Amino acid sequence: MKPTTHGLHHITAISSDTKRNMHFYTKVLGLRFVKQSVNQDDPGTYHLYYGDYAGSPGTILTFFPWVGLRRGRPGSGQAYATAFSVPADSLPYWQKRFTDLKVESLPIEQRFSDEVLPFFDPDGLRLELIATSEADARKPAPSDEVATEHAIRGFHSTTLGLSDGLLTATVLTETMGYRLLAQSGHRARYTVDQAGPGTYVDLLTDPALPRGLNGAGTVHHVAFRVPDDATQEAARFVLNRSGLQVSPVIDRAYFKSIYYREPGGVLFEIATDQPGFAIDEPVETLGSKLSLPPRLEPHRAEIEAALPKLN
């Protein structure tokens, strides 16, 4: 079928400590802090965005930091792991860096034709660096901490933990335009468009996975990208026709969103590429101020008073 989505847009996870979260993703991983905003459904909580220099779709990992929240458990029914793309032969650099900075990691493993370095953020969020030989022309965010030749380019893939992958695969292939690319053991990889880093969705149907528990260190939702409003509306029509319960379009200021829960339990979002993060502050100074959607701007004073200081 004709693709209704075009790869990963952003992934949103949950943290329990705002400052620790910022330090890890900017100082340890070398991502740019591209937007400080609020959870639009809970404005007393930050929504923090990290990615490349311009905050491009396909590079953005975001967090709801609920301070002091208990730790969750990644497992089935969740987006189990989030993988970033790094250049081939970069993993020894990152292994040493993680050792030096006391970041918890696991041994390098082979996955399809790539090497994978699993590691964890301070909340236990399962992350991966995938050293891929595939072309990835995306430029990393400039960083004083991470060498450019080894730096993160953006997302490589998301891994969904499932007890049964059949219905999830059906949603991907029959309503979102994905196709099966490779399969090995409990893992099946799906892709869309021309494939490549930033498009991959892996289904991990391993019966040894525990049932996921929501909390700090787990993924809240996975967002897929569409270029514009018209493509999003077309996707919404296809999804509704398939029997999925899809939300109305919600304007998130920096993109428009629709939400639905796929049969395995993972919350999916489809988000537009436009208008992007530079609509209310220049690209050069992204993340330097609290940005609020227009409907919350009249409440700026009380929102700022309720939020913890970032620095």
Side-chain angles (χ1 to χ4, degrees):
M1 65 169 291
K2 181 180 178 181
T4 54
T5 59
H6 302 276
L8 298 171
H9 184 283
H10 68 270
I11 294 173
T12 295
I14 302 171
S15 171
S16 65
D17 187 296
T18 305
K19 292 182 180 179
R20 187 176 64 183
N21 182 266
M22 288 187 64
H23 179 271
F24 184 82
Y25 287 95
T26 60
K27 302 300 184 183
V28 176
L29 296 190
L31 300 178
R32 188 184 187 193
F33 183 45
V34 297
K35 186 66 67 174
Q36 55 168 304
S37 189
V38 294
N39 181 339
Q40 294 183 24
D41 302 315
D42 178 15
T45 302
Y46 278 113
H47 194 177
L48 308 178
Y49 297 72
Y50 308 97
D52 70 358
Y53 183 74
S56 306
T59 74
I60 301 296
L61 182 60
T62 91
F63 284 88
F64 298 139
W66 280 294
V67 176
L69 184 69
R70 65 166 177 81
R71 182 171 287 197
R73 182 179 66 199
S76 65
Q78 294 180 337
Y80 179 69
T82 299
F84 295 105
S85 170
V86 296
D89 304 320
S90 293
L91 296 191
Y93 168 88
W94 284 100
Q95 277 189 310
K96 182 179 186 305
R97 182 168 179 79
F98 290 161
T99 298
D100 292 346
L101 297 177
K102 296 180 171 55
V103 174
E104 182 184 1
S105 64
L106 299 176
I108 292 173
E109 60 187 65
Q110 292 292 132
R111 182 178 304 160
F112 300 119
S113 59
D114 300 321
E115 287 192 322
V116 181
L117 174 59
F119 66 105
F120 302 88
D121 84 352
D123 283 298
L125 184 69
R126 189 179 183 95
L127 301 166
E128 298 170 336
L129 295 178
I130 298 187
T132 176
S133 58
E134 292 185 274
D136 190 346
R138 296 175 293 179
K139 294 182 178 180
S143 169
D144 293 333
E145 284 77 21
V146 176
T148 302
E149 63 267 29
H150 301 303
I152 289 169
R153 267 47 184 173
F155 289 130
H156 178 276
S157 53
T158 180
T159 294
L160 310 185
L162 302 165
S163 57
D164 184 340
L166 179 60
L167 293 179
T168 301
T170 299
V171 169
L172 288 173
T173 57
E174 294 189 4
T175 68
M176 297 173 65
Y178 275 74
R179 62 187 183 276
L180 179 64
L181 182 68
Q183 192 157 7
S184 177
H186 298 298
R187 183 179 296 268
R189 174 163 294 173
Y190 292 79
T191 190
V192 72
D193 285 350
Q194 301 303 308
T199 69
Y200 298 128
V201 177
D202 286 6
L203 305 188
L204 182 63
T205 53
D206 186 346
L209 285 179
R211 181 68 186 173
L213 297 175
N214 294 330
T218 64
V219 172
H220 187 273
H221 64 268
V222 176
F224 299 84
R225 60 187 295 192
V226 290
D228 51 37
D229 294 359
T231 313
Q232 183 183 66
E233 189 54 45
R236 187 171 185 273
F237 174 80
V238 171
L239 292 163
N240 271 322
R241 188 177 59 186
S242 75
L244 292 166
Q245 300 299 310
V246 188
S247 75
V249 175
I250 301 173
D251 190 344
R252 297 301 193 191
Y254 311 111
F255 43 83
K256 291 181 180 177
S257 301
I258 57 175
Y259 300 87
Y260 55 102
R261 201 168 290 278
E262 58 80 31
V266 183
L267 181 61
F268 280 0
E269 174 184 351
I270 294 180
T272 57
D273 285 354
Q274 300 300 322
F277 293 113
I279 60 168
D280 56 1
E281 55 182 335
V283 170
E284 294 77 13
T285 58
L286 284 175
S288 61
K289 68 172 186 177
L290 179 67
S291 297
L292 297 175
R295 69 179 179 83
L296 293 178
E297 191 61 49
H299 308 287
R300 174 175 287 273
E302 54 263 46
I303 289 173
E304 287 184 335
L307 292 169
K309 299 299 182 185
L310 292 181
N311 300 311

